[in-house]
Amino acid sequence: MNIGGTSTAAAPPPWRALLADAMHSNAHLNYSSYFQLATVSANGRPANRTVVFRGFQDGCDKIQINTDSRTSKIEEIRHCPYGEICWYFTESWEQFRINGRIDVVDTSNRDLAKQQQREKSWFTSSLRSRLQYLGPSPRLPVLHEEPSTNHELDPLKGPVDTFCLLVFYPEQVDYLNLKRNERLLFKSSHSCNESVVWQLEKVNP
Amino acid sequence: MNIGGTSTAAAPPPWRALLADAMHSNAHLNYSSYFQLATVSANGRPANRTVVFRGFQDGCDKIQINTDSRTSKIEEIRHCPYGEICWYFTESWEQFRINGRIDVVDTSNRDLAKQQQREKSWFTSSLRSRLQYLGPSPRLPVLHEEPSTNHELDPLKGPVDTFCLLVFYPEQVDYLNLKRNERLLFKSSHSCNESVVWQLEKVNP
């Protein structure tokens, strides 16, 4: 790859191909679909946790993450709707820092298309994953040891209220390849007709 | 381990033993000393990147990270001196979310003890690591392809101006064990005599 200076690229953005390559070359590692999502708490401090990549939304570059609506990240995102994903691929030594806006799609969201995406994400999840949303409220104290409850779930039934879809809109991607000692910066902007335009620049690692 | 309710523990804090175990059981993976550090940018958005664990400071729980003083995280930390480390161990399925304050120790710092720590961290680094601090300014555009310069460095000479030590003071540790489906929350506070007291609570995963 020989990219110098600044250039403009059409959709799909050029970082998608790099990410697809990294996912492919690390696919044998089950944790290669995990990344760290940073948000900002109401007290202004950063928060950071590992989440699972649940694919791109059909035909676009929005990243999907499933989460429990009772986790603190929901309150954090409502307070500051921006996040930065840090996705490090341990086999290929590649890092993607993806900065963007996050949309919370929970049971209260009235947008039909978004609810359909939430439902789709629910049914794409394994039954085991879905069962987690029936557990006790995350981060609340365990007051006394209880035997784990065997929740039952109709596999044909739609998402439970605690199931929440996060939709991440990438606005900037900072790509670092430690093997090649190469760093590329992808920045998005909106053109006159409101379509997203990506610019890329080769920068010092 | 059978920890229920809330209890008070003396130094070293109980999360240190858990972290030591995780580091030990993942030590064969060269990337197990990497974690993601989240900070807050001046524009209020989160930032997140992979950094390398450079050990605890002698006799205490402060986490050391080496960085280049020209990276944007320095400006971010000066603006908001808090961070959250997310350290996920891929072999043992354990996650440590460590929230705390960050101290920047760069060449301008006049605290003699801190400068000695910075110097120690410099000499502990490999020569190859040290050479990185002589490279061009991170994230500035590569205007034209140049052959990589062979910098020379006297191995006995102290840190260059761009070498910066970050000292992370843990205040809260959120530990998640995905194999055991267990989550422990460690919170620090100061006792009457200003010593740090850690409380731990078992919470829902």
Side-chain angles (χ1 to χ4, degrees):
Chain A
M1 200 169 46
N2 183 19
I3 304 160
T6 303
S7 69
T8 304
W15 58 266
R16 279 289 299 268
L18 286 170
L19 184 58
D21 284 349
M23 289 168 74
H24 180 73
S25 60
N26 292 266
H28 59 293
L29 304 164
N30 62 339
Y31 57 84
S32 66
S33 61
Y34 301 176
F35 53 69
Q36 280 68 40
L37 173 68
T39 51
V40 179
S41 300
N43 66 6
R45 289 197 187 199
N48 205 4
R49 80 288 285 161
T50 307
V51 294
V52 182
F53 173 68
R54 301 287 180 181
F56 289 99
Q57 269 196 0
D58 303 334
C60 68
D61 307 310
K62 298 172 198 164
I63 293 167
Q64 298 185 124
I65 300 158
N66 295 343
T67 193
D68 192 306
S69 63
R70 300 167 295 175
T71 59
S72 51
K73 67 175 94 53
I74 301 300
E75 190 195 330
E76 287 160 12
I77 295 166
R78 293 210 193 278
H79 171 258
C80 169
Y82 297 98
E84 187 156 290
I85 287 168
C86 183
W87 200 345
Y88 182 70
F89 291 90
T90 59
E91 183 89 359
S92 57
W93 299 13
E94 289 168 286
Q95 175 181 264
F96 293 80
R97 295 175 60 181
I98 309 175
N99 200 292
R101 195 169 56 78
I102 311 173
D103 193 14
V104 174
V105 186
D106 64 6
T107 189
S108 70
N109 197 303
R110 294 280 153 252
D111 185 312
L112 188 64
K114 289 180 179 178
Q115 279 304 333
Q116 282 170 340
Q117 287 291 353
R118 175 173 167 260
E119 196 164 282
K120 193 174 174 185
S121 206
W122 170 261
F123 285 115
T124 309
S125 302
S126 67
L127 266 182
R128 193 192 161 119
S129 286
R130 292 185 221 169
L131 278 167
Q132 290 176 346
Y133 296 91
L134 300 178
S137 220
R139 222 170 177 244
L140 282 192
V142 176
L143 294 175
H144 37 80
E145 298 290 339
E146 284 174 69
S148 57
T149 318
N150 282 327
H151 295 288
E152 284 192 22
L153 196 62
D154 180 349
L156 300 176
K157 217 174 158 191
V160 296
D161 284 357
T162 52
F163 180 76
C164 181
L165 172 67
L166 299 181
V167 183
F168 191 105
Y169 295 65
E171 294 179 6
Q172 181 177 291
V173 179
D174 183 344
Y175 168 74
L176 179 66
N177 187 312
L178 288 172
K179 285 190 182 172
R180 288 205 298 257
N181 199 33
E182 185 178 73
R183 190 171 179 182
L184 300 171
L185 201 57
F186 301 89
K187 286 183 186 178
S188 72
S189 58
H190 285 86
S191 68
C192 315
N193 64 0
E194 282 304 297
S195 66
V196 176
V197 177
W198 285 89
Q199 284 196 312
L200 83 87
E201 192 169 31
K202 187 168 184 172
V203 297
N204 297 320
Chain B
M1 199 169 51
N2 182 21
I3 304 161
T6 303
S7 69
T8 304
W15 58 267
R16 279 289 298 269
L18 286 170
L19 184 57
D21 284 350
M23 288 168 75
H24 179 74
S25 60
N26 293 265
H28 58 293
L29 304 164
N30 63 339
Y31 58 84
S32 66
S33 61
Y34 300 177
F35 53 68
Q36 279 68 38
L37 173 68
T39 51
V40 180
S41 300
N43 66 6
R45 291 197 185 197
N48 206 3
R49 81 286 288 162
T50 307
V51 293
V52 182
F53 173 67
R54 300 288 181 181
F56 289 100
Q57 269 197 357
D58 303 335
C60 69
D61 307 309
K62 297 171 198 164
I63 293 167
Q64 298 184 123
I65 300 157
N66 295 343
T67 191
D68 192 307
S69 63
R70 299 167 296 176
T71 58
S72 52
K73 67 173 95 52
I74 301 299
E75 190 195 330
E76 287 160 14
I77 296 166
R78 293 209 192 278
H79 172 259
C80 169
Y82 297 98
E84 187 155 289
I85 287 167
C86 183
W87 200 345
Y88 182 70
F89 291 91
T90 58
E91 182 88 2
S92 57
W93 299 12
E94 291 167 284
Q95 175 182 264
F96 293 80
R97 295 176 60 180
I98 309 176
N99 200 292
R101 194 167 56 78
I102 312 173
D103 194 12
V104 175
V105 186
D106 63 5
T107 189
S108 70
N109 197 301
R110 294 279 153 250
D111 185 313
L112 187 65
K114 290 180 179 178
Q115 279 303 336
Q116 282 170 342
Q117 288 291 352
R118 176 173 167 259
E119 196 163 281
K120 193 176 173 183
S121 207
W122 170 260
F123 285 115
T124 310
S125 301
S126 67
L127 266 183
R128 194 194 159 120
S129 285
R130 292 184 221 171
L131 279 168
Q132 289 177 345
Y133 296 92
L134 299 179
S137 222
R139 221 169 177 242
L140 283 192
V142 176
L143 293 175
H144 37 80
E145 298 290 341
E146 283 175 70
S148 57
T149 318
N150 282 325
H151 295 289
E152 284 192 19
L153 197 62
D154 180 350
L156 299 176
K157 220 177 156 189
V160 296
D161 284 358
T162 51
F163 180 76
C164 180
L165 172 67
L166 299 180
V167 183
F168 190 104
Y169 295 65
E171 295 179 6
Q172 182 177 291
V173 180
D174 183 343
Y175 168 75
L176 179 66
N177 187 313
L178 289 172
K179 284 191 181 173
R180 289 205 298 257
N181 199 31
E182 184 178 74
R183 190 172 179 184
L184 300 171
L185 201 56
F186 300 89
K187 286 183 185 177
S188 71
S189 57
H190 286 86
S191 67
C192 315
N193 64 1
E194 282 303 299
S195 65
V196 176
V197 178
W198 285 89
Q199 285 197 313
L200 83 86
E201 193 169 32
K202 187 168 184 172
V203 297
N204 297 321

